[in-house]
Amino acid sequence: MTETLTIRRPDDWHLHLRDGAMLEAVLPYTARQFARAIVMPNLSPPVTTVEAAKAYRDRIMAALPEDADFTPLMTAYLTDDIDPDEIARGHGEGVFTAAKLYPANATTNSAHGVTDVANLTAVFERMQDIGMVLCIHGEVTSGDVDIFDREAVFIERTLEPLVRDFPALKIVLEHITTTEAAQFVADSPDTVAATITPQHIRINRNALFAGGLRPHAYCLPVAKREHHRVAVRKAAVSGLPKFFLGTDSAPHDKSAKESDCGCAGIFNAPFALESYLGVFEEEGALDRFEAFASEHGPRFYGLPLNKGSVTLERAATDVPETLPAGEESLVPFHAGETLRWHLL
Ligand code: DOR
Ligand code: ZN
């Protein structure tokens, strides 16, 4: 039995750090585990310019604990009228690692998102030319499409044509939740990859209704049926380089989650590695964890692998019911549970 597991320092390829007091509260959890993270731009207002991204990056660096060794990788929030020159300039200056496509109104702070990808043809052409990664929240938003079908319908209506029309564009389908997504990515050319969250390989949609309404199990894309969870798990542990770690840790104050219109988002940053690793262990795939957490992402993004390592031991981690965040508090993923691994 392996009692400890040491892997190259991992990265988080999809993260919400927020701003202000929330940023200060959540950043140390990520910086303790990960060397780099792709930081989502859905602030209010969204990060749409090089200047805004630089300023946000400065605020992140200022909020880092003194001994931290962490690099935020910034993203641009795509809008219908975003200027391709601004995106390309940000990438050229080393500010924008990627650009993020939120379909308008798909999720938190996506009101300024894209109403029709046809509006972005020039942007995608430019990104394709310069080798810049496009991160996609892959859900349609039309009211006539059932919320549990929104990812599969997005793949059919939007993603398939996009991959066909921009064959050299590097695309990350974020936080995949369905058999259809896992299959689509596996079958696509090497330009297409996916991130996988801890929650989508841990819970199915029953978690939302277990003994009552469970706002802390609510995120977008929403968890799906059990067979989808199983398919996404298989993808995560498959060893295929197209699948890599992206927590989508999305903190909201406890009071904003436990409300008559609770915010979407699961705050999984504090014990993300422990959560993922438990799944790899259950799947008999401990030997594939390092590639998923530390190798596939940087290779897809064309970035160097990290130096250094982290070690987890097979020991209990008790997850607190709440964690402080400024004047408020946060409920972490797995609150009140005991996980089988412990990050040293
Ligand atoms: O659950 C989610 N929360 N999904 C998203 O896409 C956004 C995120 C957030 O920013 O809260
Ligand atoms: Zn997200």
Side-chain angles (χ1 to χ4, degrees):
M1 275 290 225
T2 320
E3 292 305 329
T4 63
L5 184 75
T6 297
I7 60 167
R8 183 188 292 280
R9 281 190 81 201
D11 303 300
D12 183 349
W13 299 96
H14 182 134
L15 176 67
H16 299 270
L17 283 175
R18 314 302 192 204
D19 217 338
M22 183 68 95
L23 167 64
E24 295 204 5
V26 302
L27 179 60
Y29 297 113
T30 291
R32 194 172 91 82
Q33 299 169 73
F34 299 104
R36 297 169 290 197
I38 288 278
V39 179
M40 287 298 128
N42 62 333
L43 302 182
S44 185
V47 179
T48 53
T49 64
V50 182
E51 285 322 299
K54 271 192 194 161
Y56 185 30
R57 186 171 64 184
D58 289 346
R59 296 197 295 281
I60 296 170
M61 295 310 288
L64 273 175
E66 229 156 63
D67 56 347
D69 173 14
F70 174 78
T71 306
L73 305 175
M74 309 312 288
T75 56
Y77 181 115
L78 297 178
T79 59
D80 280 336
D81 55 4
I82 196 118
D83 179 0
D85 288 341
E86 184 75 1
I87 299 296
R89 181 170 73 86
H91 188 254
E93 290 179 11
V95 179
F96 291 143
T97 299
K100 174 74 186 241
L101 168 61
Y102 285 105
N105 303 314
T107 185
T108 310
N109 291 337
S110 60
H112 303 277
V114 175
T115 59
D116 184 346
V117 289
N119 296 328
L120 292 179
T121 302
V123 175
F124 295 155
E125 275 169 359
R126 205 56 181 281
M127 290 176 66
Q128 175 168 256
D129 285 348
I130 61 180
M132 183 175 176
V133 171
L134 174 67
C135 300
I136 300 185
H137 183 111
E139 289 192 286
V140 295
T141 54
S142 33
D144 59 332
V145 178
D146 191 277
I147 191 162
F148 294 102
D149 297 333
R150 288 180 178 185
E151 185 176 271
V153 172
F154 181 89
I155 291 169
E156 212 179 282
R157 287 190 192 164
T158 308
L159 190 55
E160 269 184 19
L162 201 64
V163 172
R164 194 186 52 230
D165 295 347
F166 300 93
L169 181 61
K170 285 203 223 178
I171 296 173
V172 179
L173 183 59
E174 303 282 4
H175 42 53
I176 60 167
T177 62
T178 55
T179 312
E180 287 88 345
Q183 196 63 50
F184 178 81
V185 170
D187 292 347
S188 289
D190 289 346
T191 47
V192 181
T195 52
I196 295 178
T197 74
Q199 59 266 25
H200 293 119
I201 52 178
R202 284 276 190 174
I203 62 173
N204 63 32
R205 65 190 196 176
N206 288 341
L208 285 149
F209 309 106
L213 266 185
R214 299 291 184 173
H216 300 291
Y218 175 54
C219 66
L220 288 170
V222 69
K224 307 294 192 300
R225 287 176 181 274
E226 175 62 5
H227 74 87
H228 292 295
R229 182 185 74 101
V230 170
V232 176
R233 253 170 115 96
K234 296 288 175 219
V237 304
S238 65
L240 274 180
K242 291 167 157 288
F243 298 108
F244 43 86
L245 187 159
T247 62
D248 197 16
S249 180
H252 293 276
D253 290 335
K254 186 170 184 283
S255 59
K257 295 282 297 172
E258 298 172 5
S259 117
D260 61 357
C261 186
C263 294
I266 293 182
F267 175 50
N268 60 31
F271 305 99
L273 286 178
E274 290 91 337
S275 183
Y276 280 113
L277 189 54
V279 170
F280 276 71
E281 183 179 32
E282 284 162 15
E283 296 290 330
L286 284 180
D287 58 328
R288 293 184 180 163
F289 185 58
E290 180 173 38
F292 174 78
S294 316
E295 295 172 5
H296 295 167
R299 288 204 179 111
F300 185 82
Y301 273 82
L303 293 170
L305 303 190
N306 295 317
K307 305 244 180 325
S309 61
V310 296
T311 298
L312 293 111
E313 72 172 332
R314 192 192 301 277
T317 292
D318 292 325
V319 179
E321 295 285 354
T322 58
L323 292 164
E327 312 269 280
E328 287 263 3
S329 66
L330 292 165
V331 176
F333 187 43
H334 297 297
E337 295 175 30
T338 299
L339 300 173
R340 282 191 311 278
W341 288 85
H342 191 76
L343 178 66
L344 294 177

